[in-house]
Amino acid sequence: MQPTATDITATAREAKRPARRRLRRLLRWAFGLLAALALALIVGMLVLFHIYPLPTNLNAYVPAPSTRIMDRNGNLLYEVLGPGGRRVTVPLAGMPLALRQATIAAEDASFYSNHGIDPLAIVRSFLLDARLERPAYGGSTITQQLVRTILLTPAEGRQRSLGRKLHEAALALQLSARLSKDDTLALYLNNVYYGNLAYGVEAAAEGYFGRPVSTLDIAQCALLAGIPRAPTQYNPLISPNAARARRHTVLRLMRGNGYITAAQEQEADSEPLGLAAPGQGILAPHFVYYVVSQLEQRYGRDALERGGLQVTTSLDLNMQRQAESIVRLDVQKLRKDHNVHDGALVALDPRTGQILTMVGSADYTDRAIDGAVNVAVAPRQPGSAIKPFTYAAAFSRDYTPATVVNDVPTAFRTKEGLPFLPQNYDLQFHGPVTLRTALANSYNVPAVKVLNHVGMAAMLNVAHAAGITTMNDEHRFGLALTLGGGEVRLLDLTDAYASFDTGGMHHDPVAILRVADGQGKVLYDWQATAGRRAISAQVAYLITSVLSDNAARTPEFGDSSPLLLDRPAAAKTGTTSDFHDNWTVGYTPDLVAGVWVGNADNTPMRDVTGISGAAPIWHDFMEAALRQVAARDFTRPSGLVDEAICPRTGLPPDNTCTDQMEEVFVAGTQPHRPAHPPLQQPVVALGAPADGSQYQISLSVPLIYQAIPIDVQSTAIRPGTLEVYVD
């Protein structure tokens, strides 16, 4: 008998009943598990709330003792007050809307919707940290950061343990329940650290911009909002480029969250930093904040603010005041006619690396020139001031100050396959010149030829060993590097020149000599060292010999240039293309100083070079700083010999040489006359035609030279003659 439709339906219902029962049983288990987890979470949070109760007075703090920063002679440069002494509380309504929006966009986009913690951000942070195998992403909400700032001890705030995270989360949840979002944001903005010892937005606005927070525009708000993530890294006074990049990121986040339009983002992103002085009561401000940055990195912010540190620095306040005055006055002289608005100066003790002066700008308080930016530690192109390291690399190999190169029109092939034709500053070519003459007069073509000979790696190895910390990727640069195509810091370049001054021994720059805590316990006591070998003593002396040779540099700079002091001194200038930067760096046995002149915003100067812009500042400072110091000569190491040469050939003179001179050599490198001497006279020397027309010249090379590969290079090097030389 066939089953009916009713029978089939009944059978299907019977088959589905066990499945429904299993589903209901599974749902009951799932609901029970979720209920148990929720109950466990509630009980856990209640336990945490009991263990970590929220304090009643959220604004309570213990006044901190002052940290005192002094010069080498005990003169007070700056007194660092604790958090209470630098904080000014303002209501949320007194802060620009753009500042609140920028802070939320940069730190906690879900601030107004989360309950003090953001579980998704925590999970994302955990996964990213695990992938990088280091703590890199905090995942903290604004509420959690506020807890860490005002409720956790500094030591606990630095921990990355599970216990600390639970403590922080428990307090953040309670704080979120007690305070409104606006009250939480106001408390955060009035307490967060903005670098440079500024707590809260009002102190930061006054410190960085010299104005109340209520007057800040979108660009300034974005700059401030970007700092708390890494106050030292994004400090615009120390790292203006990093601060600009961070501001760009915050503006992009603001646009992404709908707070500003694309046009507002573009306008704010193009705005200059416009920094001002952070207040009164500070001497040598650029140096002080350089020291503060080091103290923060070494001991942490809490020790700086609450530890009552007594810090003795390397600065000589009297010398610093001389330097500040000279830079300010000399820049004023250049301002009208040459569009020069800024200058910087660094001076070191070459024997120890101690920083004796650091002038980061012509006027720290002048917002129009970004005077608060410390140009002494900002990377800039050095022009020809970098050339001595190319020559030091050559002298360390197979070249000597007597080696002759042809300063003639020469084309080099770049990495892109394009021709590079360097020009000399005077737009002239000077024919065969010794390396002494080439370096002393800062001829560009010979410098490029020397770099081409020794190679980029050799030149950079010398520069880095001597103290240059930038230009770390040799593949980025071409032969123009020896003409200043890279970027260096004035502090580094001055320190690197000190390596020539000390017989090739390098000392890292030293700013802090001694640190004691509030109880007098010595935490750090600097001790002098012999330094480390950067170049040989003999090569260092060869560079010093050239840079101190006033007669050798006279053709280009004259016999009474600002590089000439009342004592033995070695110096080198530098000028970048389009007059963006002027440099002079030089030294005596007792002092090394570097000077930069230019404009912090990189606008070009007018018709001013290293010898006319930076050199007078260097000269005036060196004379003033060394007035009470007895003059002495540079120490000549052993292993050097003096030999007579003919400057036209770099070889020992023969009976045709009429202008022989003494040259110094590393023993064993002095030249010897070959069996078949090179030509002593031009192959062709013709009087220039009166009508100014050009000769068609055909060379007739003597038979003795026909077996030698011939490279003909020509230039007009004397008025009225045309000379063609054969190498």
Side-chain angles (χ1 to χ4, degrees), residues 98-245:
L99 177 63
R100 291 174 265 163
Q101 293 172 333
T103 300
I104 291 170
E107 296 295 335
D108 185 3
S110 68
F111 172 71
Y112 276 101
S113 61
N114 66 50
H115 296 285
I117 62 173
D118 185 349
L120 291 178
I122 293 174
V123 171
R124 183 169 61 251
S125 169
F126 175 80
L127 294 176
L128 289 171
D129 287 355
R131 188 178 70 183
L132 295 174
E133 298 182 350
R134 60 181 175 84
Y137 297 86
S140 297
T141 64
I142 284 176
T143 311
Q144 288 175 275
Q145 293 179 50
L146 176 60
V147 165
R148 201 178 309 142
T149 299
I150 67 173
L151 298 179
L152 299 186
T153 66
E156 187 176 13
R158 289 191 294 269
Q159 293 177 5
R160 301 194 65 84
S161 64
L162 177 61
R164 195 273 289 171
K165 292 180 181 293
L166 290 174
H167 187 182
E168 180 183 292
L171 292 176
L173 288 168
Q174 295 176 77
L175 190 63
S176 182
R178 177 184 295 186
L179 298 180
S180 70
K181 287 296 184 180
D182 283 352
D183 288 343
T184 301
L185 184 59
L187 195 58
Y188 171 83
L189 290 171
N190 278 307
N191 285 276
V192 70
Y193 182 59
Y194 286 94
N196 255 26
L197 308 177
Y199 284 83
V201 290
E202 183 69 15
E206 292 176 352
Y208 288 119
F209 304 115
R211 60 178 61 186
V213 66
S214 60
T215 66
L216 300 187
D217 61 20
I218 292 175
Q220 293 164 331
C221 290
L223 180 69
L224 289 190
I227 294 174
R229 178 68 60 88
T232 299
Q233 179 180 347
Y234 298 129
N235 184 336
L237 301 179
I238 300 296
S239 305
N241 291 338
R244 285 191 188 93

Side-chain angles (χ1 to χ4, degrees), residues 31 68 71 120 135 167 185 219 298 316 346 349 376 465 470 567 583 601 663 665:
F31 178 79
R68 293 168 59 85
D71 87 332
L120 291 178
H167 187 182
L185 184 59
R298 187 176 299 178
D316 185 316
V346 169
D349 182 340
T470 52
R567 64 191 66 221
W583 302 73
D601 63 0
E663 186 56 270
F665 300 91

Side-chain angles (χ1 to χ4, degrees), residues 325-345:
S325 176
I326 291 168
V327 170
R328 182 175 60 255
L329 292 175
D330 281 28
V331 166
Q332 286 176 355
K333 296 175 185 177
L334 297 167
R335 182 165 297 166
K336 181 179 179 181
D337 294 333
H338 301 286
N339 194 39
V340 174
H341 298 278
D342 207 359
L345 187 153

Side-chain angles (χ1 to χ4, degrees), residues 257-309:
N257 282 274
Y259 294 138
I260 58 175
T261 65
Q264 288 174 311
E265 177 193 11
Q266 184 176 4
E267 180 182 2
D269 201 25
S270 63
E271 186 175 306
L273 295 182
L275 302 174
Q280 304 299 319
I282 183 170
L283 303 176
H286 294 106
F287 176 78
V288 164
Y289 285 113
Y290 176 77
V291 168
V292 165
S293 178
Q294 291 193 350
L295 291 171
E296 284 185 355
Q297 294 177 17
R298 187 176 299 178
Y299 301 108
R301 195 165 69 243
D302 182 63
L304 182 64
E305 298 155 359
R306 302 177 185 273
L309 303 180

